[in-house]
Amino acid sequence: MAYTDRNYGNRSGFNPRDSRPEPKALTFPAGYLKDAYLDETGDRDIRYITSFAESIGKSFSTDDKTGKSKIRAYFDTVNSIKDALFNKVISENTAMIQLAQLKSRVVGRVAKETASPFFSDFINKNIDIVVSDKALFKERLLHFRDHFEAVVCYTAEKKDRR
């Protein structure tokens, strides 16, 4: 029996990979995006940089489909859009369109199984909030960028995942 056979030479048919527990469903923290990056008083909610970001980053750390490099690449795109907008290289409308395009790109990644539905939900939920009010677009884009950066920081490298 070759090493590459499904039961790895174990004639009993037991495959240790089949005995791994099912991964638990990944969820967002309670109250996540309820007030679009703001707290009850209308100030920026620090949890998007601390506890919410840590929780989501730890969830991404258990996600076998979405590597940190992919998460980082999406963050880099959001950061580039923010920089181009704030440096007046692109208009607000162009920035909104470029940001919204990330939603379709992440759907493609999920279809190819190179990103998880949880990552897709993260991107989609945040972009929906950012583009939902044109008057608040720039402010919310900045808040999302800061939140996303913290999430990336809390996400373990693939070699460190357990």
Side-chain angles (χ1 to χ4, degrees), residues 36-38 42 44 86 130 135-144:
Y37 312 108
L38 304 177
R44 282 188 74 180
F86 280 75
V130 173
L136 297 172
F137 174 71
K138 285 177 90 170
E139 177 183 334
R140 287 181 177 175
L141 177 59
L142 182 60
H143 298 330
F144 174 41

Side-chain angles (χ1 to χ4, degrees), residues 19-72:
S19 65
R20 289 185 290 189
E22 285 290 318
K24 69 177 193 167
L26 302 177
T27 59
F28 294 98
Y32 183 68
L33 294 176
K34 180 179 157 260
D35 294 314
Y37 312 108
L38 304 177
D39 62 19
E40 310 80 44
T41 65
D43 291 329
R44 282 188 74 180
D45 192 336
I46 191 78
R47 296 179 298 173
Y48 287 94
I49 308 301
T50 58
S51 62
F52 285 173
E54 182 176 11
S55 174
I56 293 167
K58 285 183 178 180
S59 292
F60 286 149
S61 296
T62 65
D63 176 356
D64 289 338
K65 289 193 177 189
T66 314
K68 187 170 183 175
S69 62
K70 178 147 339 301
I71 297 166
R72 180 67 193 210

Side-chain angles (χ1 to χ4, degrees), residues 106-122:
V106 79
V107 167
R109 291 291 178 185
V110 171
K112 292 178 183 176
E113 296 187 359
T114 59
S116 70
F118 183 72
F119 180 66
S120 177
D121 287 347
F122 171 77

Side-chain angles (χ1 to χ4, degrees), residues 52-111:
F52 285 173
E54 182 176 11
S55 174
I56 293 167
K58 285 183 178 180
S59 292
F60 286 149
S61 296
T62 65
D63 176 356
D64 289 338
K65 289 193 177 189
T66 314
K68 187 170 183 175
S69 62
K70 178 147 339 301
I71 297 166
R72 180 67 193 210
Y74 274 76
F75 165 74
D76 288 344
T77 301
V78 170
N79 194 45
S80 293
I81 293 167
K82 190 268 312 168
D83 285 346
L85 176 63
F86 280 75
N87 291 323
K88 299 183 186 324
V89 174
I90 60 174
S91 68
E92 247 181 71
N93 187 55
T94 300
M96 288 179 98
I97 290 168
Q98 288 179 359
L99 191 65
Q101 286 174 327
L102 292 179
K103 291 180 66 164
S104 59
R105 289 183 188 151
V106 79
V107 167
R109 291 291 178 185
V110 171

